Amino acid sequence: MRVLAVLVVVVGTTAAIAPAHALARGPSVGGVLTSLERRGAITEAAYTHYRGAYAAAQSSLRRLTGTRRAELQSVISNVQAIAASGELTPSRLGALFLTLERNRQWWTTEPLLSSGERVSFPPSRLVWEYYAGQGIEIQWLGTFGEANGYYLSGHENANLRQLLGEAIPLASERAGGIAWEYLFHFDGGSPPWTSGLSQGTAVQVLARAWSRLKEPAYLTAAQQALGVFQTAPPQGVRVKTRAGAEYAEYSYAPSDRILNGFIQALVGLYDYTSITKDPLGLALFEAGDAQARAEVPRYDTGAWSLYDQFGESSLNYHELLAEFLQHLCERTRKGPPVRQASAAIAGDEIYCTTAQRFTTDLRTPPAVSLITTTLPTGARAGVQVSLSKIATVRITVRRNGRTVWSNAATVERGRPRLLWVTPSQTGAYSITVTAADLAGNFATGTGTITLAKGAKPH
């Protein structure tokens, strides 16, 4: 085993991972496996292997304590919950029991991890990530990103072939095709779920590998993986819009419009279609492109990007969105992915100019100024400032050259307030407001606040 460097990518939001939920009443893991074997859905050898892996995990669990026990228990609980919900289907067994076996192996022999660390199990090329409270899980976006790295290197075809040879059999039947599913609880979603982002990256690299290595299984898998883009959540990721379609980052959260995942899904569909000339791929791309052209401008605040419709991007997601938009810019400037496309691609200027604006934002200081001019004495008051983009804002209050109060917080754009417990002494106080944005750009503003007994904040 080896621990990989942590790489922050977009398979999740910054929200906390949900704990394992209480098991619903339903079939047991052993009961489902027995039923599948009796029906001939799995072989006797497969049945023996899976039952053995499940028994071994439970046996190891009894000997573990603390974090190791909690992490393995969470993975076992996810297997039990999937069985109880009737979703322990033959196509899911491979990925689910591989996850169980890898967690048993890790938590009985390997070091504790920090949340977000990535690990591998050589000679396997699959990428795994530790999600605190959910064990280590196959990171499908990271795995297909690794495959893209092998492809783009131009000389790692053997690694590319090995990774895809491992990944394709682990796909599950879903949405009339196949999908690489996440088998753990995340941000309110229960397993199994999938992502338009990771699925788009999968069809991209599968098409690329097929074009180079001429392996028919790669093209077949890519074609089957389009099913989620045709199907509404929760089975698929297609969200119908007035303009066309949006492809959700999470199949369990169709109303959360995360732009970076949507744009990368379009990049993947563009590349798939330009290589395969598949009319279905073109239709899926055109529907998404129409929506993206309408949507992208709404995610530009004029000073920073929005992550979704609820708030601004972190630095990593802002940079990633700029990169994905630039990729789409470069492709659409060349025209549609298929020359015989029924509709012209007109989104290139939107993608290109927005990518450039977001890149410029990384070098542009925030605009910050003091709004509040009057506050009451002896109160827990809010000092209001005007701020152009998410930043760490600090207020420093001075009287006669002496600092009497200082407070700082990371806040989003708009008119946030920072706490000042005002003194009882009336009069004018000098205020310095500083703001450091996520990229490290710095700005300063000054002003005066007058304290008066019984004054209303203004």
Side-chain angles (χ1 to χ4, degrees), residues 311-334:
E312 290 171 272
S313 300
S314 68
L315 176 60
N316 176 69
Y317 286 133
H318 180 86
E319 292 175 326
L320 206 60
L321 178 55
E323 178 185 342
F324 290 166
L325 284 167
Q326 183 60 33
H327 291 167
L328 197 53
C329 157
E330 292 165 358
R331 285 159 172 78
T332 53
R333 270 183 170 171
K334 300 174 184 177

mmCIF file of all heavy atoms in Angstrom, residues 311-334:
data_model
loop_
_atom_site.group_PDB
_atom_site.id
_atom_site.type_symbol
_atom_site.label_atom_id
_atom_site.label_comp_id
_atom_site.label_asym_id
_atom_site.label_seq_id
_atom_site.Cartn_x
_atom_site.Cartn_y
_atom_site.Cartn_z
ATOM 1 N N GLY A 311 -23.616 30.189 -2.930
ATOM 2 C CA GLY A 311 -22.480 30.910 -2.389
ATOM 3 C C GLY A 311 -21.265 30.884 -3.288
ATOM 4 O O GLY A 311 -21.230 30.227 -4.340
ATOM 5 N N GLU A 312 -20.239 31.637 -2.861
ATOM 6 C CA GLU A 312 -19.030 31.804 -3.654
ATOM 7 C C GLU A 312 -18.119 30.579 -3.578
ATOM 8 O O GLU A 312 -18.176 29.787 -2.644
ATOM 9 C CB GLU A 312 -18.270 33.040 -3.166
ATOM 10 C CG GLU A 312 -18.964 34.342 -3.499
ATOM 11 C CD GLU A 312 -18.339 35.548 -2.827
ATOM 12 O OE1 GLU A 312 -18.734 35.858 -1.685
ATOM 13 O OE2 GLU A 312 -17.449 36.174 -3.441
ATOM 14 N N SER A 313 -17.254 30.461 -4.571
ATOM 15 C CA SER A 313 -16.317 29.352 -4.657
ATOM 16 C C SER A 313 -15.177 29.520 -3.662
ATOM 17 O O SER A 313 -14.760 30.641 -3.347
ATOM 18 C CB SER A 313 -15.706 29.273 -6.062
ATOM 19 O OG SER A 313 -16.672 29.093 -7.051
ATOM 20 N N SER A 314 -14.641 28.390 -3.207
ATOM 21 C CA SER A 314 -13.353 28.413 -2.529
ATOM 22 C C SER A 314 -12.281 28.719 -3.562
ATOM 23 O O SER A 314 -12.540 28.735 -4.768
ATOM 24 C CB SER A 314 -13.081 27.061 -1.872
ATOM 25 O OG SER A 314 -12.891 26.066 -2.881
ATOM 26 N N LEU A 315 -11.041 28.955 -3.104
ATOM 27 C CA LEU A 315 -9.961 29.236 -4.045
ATOM 28 C C LEU A 315 -9.765 28.065 -5.001
ATOM 29 O O LEU A 315 -9.624 28.256 -6.222
ATOM 30 C CB LEU A 315 -8.663 29.517 -3.279
ATOM 31 C CG LEU A 315 -7.411 29.731 -4.142
ATOM 32 C CD1 LEU A 315 -7.592 30.925 -5.074
ATOM 33 C CD2 LEU A 315 -6.184 29.917 -3.251
ATOM 34 N N ASN A 316 -9.763 26.844 -4.484
ATOM 35 C CA ASN A 316 -9.555 25.675 -5.332
ATOM 36 C C ASN A 316 -10.638 25.553 -6.393
ATOM 37 O O ASN A 316 -10.356 25.324 -7.573
ATOM 38 C CB ASN A 316 -9.525 24.413 -4.476
ATOM 39 C CG ASN A 316 -9.418 23.153 -5.314
ATOM 40 O OD1 ASN A 316 -8.395 22.892 -5.930
ATOM 41 N ND2 ASN A 316 -10.493 22.383 -5.352
ATOM 42 N N TYR A 317 -11.899 25.729 -5.988
ATOM 43 C CA TYR A 317 -12.992 25.580 -6.941
ATOM 44 C C TYR A 317 -13.033 26.743 -7.933
ATOM 45 O O TYR A 317 -13.434 26.557 -9.082
ATOM 46 C CB TYR A 317 -14.319 25.452 -6.201
ATOM 47 C CG TYR A 317 -14.500 24.101 -5.553
ATOM 48 C CD1 TYR A 317 -14.927 23.994 -4.234
ATOM 49 C CD2 TYR A 317 -14.243 22.938 -6.259
ATOM 50 C CE1 TYR A 317 -15.082 22.750 -3.634
ATOM 51 C CE2 TYR A 317 -14.401 21.703 -5.670
ATOM 52 C CZ TYR A 317 -14.824 21.605 -4.358
ATOM 53 O OH TYR A 317 -14.978 20.375 -3.769
ATOM 54 N N HIS A 318 -12.628 27.940 -7.490
ATOM 55 C CA HIS A 318 -12.566 29.066 -8.427
ATOM 56 C C HIS A 318 -11.530 28.789 -9.514
ATOM 57 O O HIS A 318 -11.789 28.977 -10.714
ATOM 58 C CB HIS A 318 -12.214 30.345 -7.668
ATOM 59 C CG HIS A 318 -12.123 31.558 -8.537
ATOM 60 N ND1 HIS A 318 -13.218 32.330 -8.855
ATOM 61 C CD2 HIS A 318 -11.060 32.139 -9.178
ATOM 62 C CE1 HIS A 318 -12.848 33.337 -9.643
ATOM 63 N NE2 HIS A 318 -11.533 33.234 -9.854
ATOM 64 N N GLU A 319 -10.349 28.337 -9.111
ATOM 65 C CA GLU A 319 -9.301 28.024 -10.077
ATOM 66 C C GLU A 319 -9.720 26.880 -10.994
ATOM 67 O O GLU A 319 -9.460 26.902 -12.200
ATOM 68 C CB GLU A 319 -8.010 27.660 -9.342
ATOM 69 C CG GLU A 319 -7.375 28.831 -8.605
ATOM 70 C CD GLU A 319 -6.171 28.414 -7.791
ATOM 71 O OE1 GLU A 319 -6.165 27.271 -7.256
ATOM 72 O OE2 GLU A 319 -5.235 29.230 -7.661
ATOM 73 N N LEU A 320 -10.386 25.882 -10.408
ATOM 74 C CA LEU A 320 -10.818 24.730 -11.193
ATOM 75 C C LEU A 320 -11.879 25.127 -12.213
ATOM 76 O O LEU A 320 -11.840 24.684 -13.370
ATOM 77 C CB LEU A 320 -11.358 23.657 -10.250
ATOM 78 C CG LEU A 320 -11.309 22.212 -10.719
ATOM 79 C CD1 LEU A 320 -9.871 21.788 -10.984
ATOM 80 C CD2 LEU A 320 -11.932 21.310 -9.676
ATOM 81 N N LEU A 321 -12.806 25.980 -11.811
ATOM 82 C CA LEU A 321 -13.841 26.433 -12.739
ATOM 83 C C LEU A 321 -13.222 27.227 -13.885
ATOM 84 O O LEU A 321 -13.608 27.053 -15.050
ATOM 85 C CB LEU A 321 -14.878 27.276 -11.997
ATOM 86 C CG LEU A 321 -15.999 27.872 -12.843
ATOM 87 C CD1 LEU A 321 -16.736 26.799 -13.637
ATOM 88 C CD2 LEU A 321 -16.979 28.650 -11.945
ATOM 89 N N ALA A 322 -12.273 28.093 -13.570
ATOM 90 C CA ALA A 322 -11.599 28.848 -14.628
ATOM 91 C C ALA A 322 -10.899 27.903 -15.605
ATOM 92 O O ALA A 322 -10.948 28.098 -16.828
ATOM 93 C CB ALA A 322 -10.589 29.817 -14.014
ATOM 94 N N GLU A 323 -10.281 26.855 -15.062
ATOM 95 C CA GLU A 323 -9.595 25.883 -15.917
ATOM 96 C C GLU A 323 -10.577 25.123 -16.798
ATOM 97 O O GLU A 323 -10.352 24.958 -18.009
ATOM 98 C CB GLU A 323 -8.820 24.900 -15.043
ATOM 99 C CG GLU A 323 -8.099 23.808 -15.812
ATOM 100 C CD GLU A 323 -7.437 22.790 -14.898
ATOM 101 O OE1 GLU A 323 -7.230 23.093 -13.709
ATOM 102 O OE2 GLU A 323 -7.143 21.674 -15.381
ATOM 103 N N PHE A 324 -11.688 24.661 -16.215
ATOM 104 C CA PHE A 324 -12.679 23.911 -16.991
ATOM 105 C C PHE A 324 -13.303 24.786 -18.074
ATOM 106 O O PHE A 324 -13.537 24.334 -19.200
ATOM 107 C CB PHE A 324 -13.767 23.365 -16.075
ATOM 108 C CG PHE A 324 -13.320 22.247 -15.164
ATOM 109 C CD1 PHE A 324 -14.110 21.864 -14.088
ATOM 110 C CD2 PHE A 324 -12.122 21.582 -15.371
ATOM 111 C CE1 PHE A 324 -13.718 20.825 -13.247
ATOM 112 C CE2 PHE A 324 -11.718 20.546 -14.535
ATOM 113 C CZ PHE A 324 -12.516 20.174 -13.475
ATOM 114 N N LEU A 325 -13.602 26.050 -17.739
ATOM 115 C CA LEU A 325 -14.164 26.962 -18.735
ATOM 116 C C LEU A 325 -13.170 27.204 -19.872
ATOM 117 O O LEU A 325 -13.565 27.299 -21.041
ATOM 118 C CB LEU A 325 -14.551 28.287 -18.078
ATOM 119 C CG LEU A 325 -15.834 28.261 -17.248
ATOM 120 C CD1 LEU A 325 -15.936 29.523 -16.393
ATOM 121 C CD2 LEU A 325 -17.065 28.117 -18.127
ATOM 122 N N GLN A 326 -11.888 27.288 -19.537
ATOM 123 C CA GLN A 326 -10.879 27.473 -20.573
ATOM 124 C C GLN A 326 -10.821 26.256 -21.488
ATOM 125 O O GLN A 326 -10.676 26.396 -22.715
ATOM 126 C CB GLN A 326 -9.508 27.731 -19.937
ATOM 127 C CG GLN A 326 -8.401 28.012 -20.935
ATOM 128 C CD GLN A 326 -8.669 29.243 -21.800
ATOM 129 O OE1 GLN A 326 -9.287 30.203 -21.334
ATOM 130 N NE2 GLN A 326 -8.209 29.212 -23.034
ATOM 131 N N HIS A 327 -10.939 25.058 -20.900
ATOM 132 C CA HIS A 327 -10.970 23.844 -21.726
ATOM 133 C C HIS A 327 -12.155 23.865 -22.691
ATOM 134 O O HIS A 327 -12.024 23.519 -23.866
ATOM 135 C CB HIS A 327 -11.069 22.606 -20.836
ATOM 136 C CG HIS A 327 -9.831 22.335 -20.045
ATOM 137 N ND1 HIS A 327 -9.796 21.433 -19.009
ATOM 138 C CD2 HIS A 327 -8.576 22.843 -20.140
ATOM 139 C CE1 HIS A 327 -8.587 21.403 -18.500
ATOM 140 N NE2 HIS A 327 -7.830 22.252 -19.156
ATOM 141 N N LEU A 328 -13.318 24.287 -22.190
ATOM 142 C CA LEU A 328 -14.498 24.334 -23.051
ATOM 143 C C LEU A 328 -14.363 25.446 -24.087
ATOM 144 O O LEU A 328 -14.800 25.299 -25.236
ATOM 145 C CB LEU A 328 -15.756 24.525 -22.193
ATOM 146 C CG LEU A 328 -17.092 24.214 -22.842
ATOM 147 C CD1 LEU A 328 -17.114 22.816 -23.455
ATOM 148 C CD2 LEU A 328 -18.224 24.357 -21.826
ATOM 149 N N CYS A 329 -13.742 26.537 -23.675
ATOM 150 C CA CYS A 329 -13.463 27.636 -24.605
ATOM 151 C C CYS A 329 -12.643 27.143 -25.791
ATOM 152 O O CYS A 329 -12.982 27.389 -26.960
ATOM 153 C CB CYS A 329 -12.716 28.747 -23.865
ATOM 154 S SG CYS A 329 -11.725 29.856 -24.891
ATOM 155 N N GLU A 330 -11.553 26.440 -25.501
ATOM 156 C CA GLU A 330 -10.648 25.977 -26.557
ATOM 157 C C GLU A 330 -11.347 25.019 -27.511
ATOM 158 O O GLU A 330 -11.090 25.039 -28.725
ATOM 159 C CB GLU A 330 -9.436 25.305 -25.916
ATOM 160 C CG GLU A 330 -8.548 26.283 -25.152
ATOM 161 C CD GLU A 330 -7.557 25.589 -24.233
ATOM 162 O OE1 GLU A 330 -7.592 24.338 -24.166
ATOM 163 O OE2 GLU A 330 -6.759 26.287 -23.587
ATOM 164 N N ARG A 331 -12.246 24.197 -26.973
ATOM 165 C CA ARG A 331 -12.930 23.226 -27.831
ATOM 166 C C ARG A 331 -13.997 23.887 -28.693
ATOM 167 O O ARG A 331 -14.083 23.649 -29.891
ATOM 168 C CB ARG A 331 -13.539 22.128 -26.949
ATOM 169 C CG ARG A 331 -12.486 21.156 -26.409
ATOM 170 C CD ARG A 331 -12.979 20.420 -25.167
ATOM 171 N NE ARG A 331 -12.060 19.373 -24.756
ATOM 172 C CZ ARG A 331 -10.927 19.586 -24.097
ATOM 173 N NH1 ARG A 331 -10.564 20.824 -23.776
ATOM 174 N NH2 ARG A 331 -10.145 18.568 -23.748
ATOM 175 N N THR A 332 -14.825 24.718 -28.074
ATOM 176 C CA THR A 332 -15.929 25.305 -28.832
ATOM 177 C C THR A 332 -15.455 26.351 -29.827
ATOM 178 O O THR A 332 -16.162 26.646 -30.797
ATOM 179 C CB THR A 332 -16.980 25.913 -27.883
ATOM 180 O OG1 THR A 332 -16.339 26.825 -26.970
ATOM 181 C CG2 THR A 332 -17.675 24.824 -27.083
ATOM 182 N N ARG A 333 -14.279 26.911 -29.619
ATOM 183 C CA ARG A 333 -13.720 27.822 -30.628
ATOM 184 C C ARG A 333 -13.481 27.099 -31.950
ATOM 185 O O ARG A 333 -13.494 27.698 -33.024
ATOM 186 C CB ARG A 333 -12.398 28.411 -30.125
ATOM 187 C CG ARG A 333 -12.567 29.706 -29.356
ATOM 188 C CD ARG A 333 -11.231 30.274 -28.954
ATOM 189 N NE ARG A 333 -11.386 31.624 -28.421
ATOM 190 C CZ ARG A 333 -10.413 32.305 -27.828
ATOM 191 N NH1 ARG A 333 -9.214 31.753 -27.697
ATOM 192 N NH2 ARG A 333 -10.618 33.521 -27.378
ATOM 193 N N LYS A 334 -13.243 25.805 -31.854
ATOM 194 C CA LYS A 334 -13.009 25.000 -33.065
ATOM 195 C C LYS A 334 -14.315 24.650 -33.763
ATOM 196 O O LYS A 334 -14.296 24.175 -34.896
ATOM 197 C CB LYS A 334 -12.274 23.714 -32.695
ATOM 198 C CG LYS A 334 -10.919 23.933 -32.052
ATOM 199 C CD LYS A 334 -10.335 22.603 -31.586
ATOM 200 C CE LYS A 334 -9.026 22.795 -30.839
ATOM 201 N NZ LYS A 334 -8.489 21.503 -30.329
#
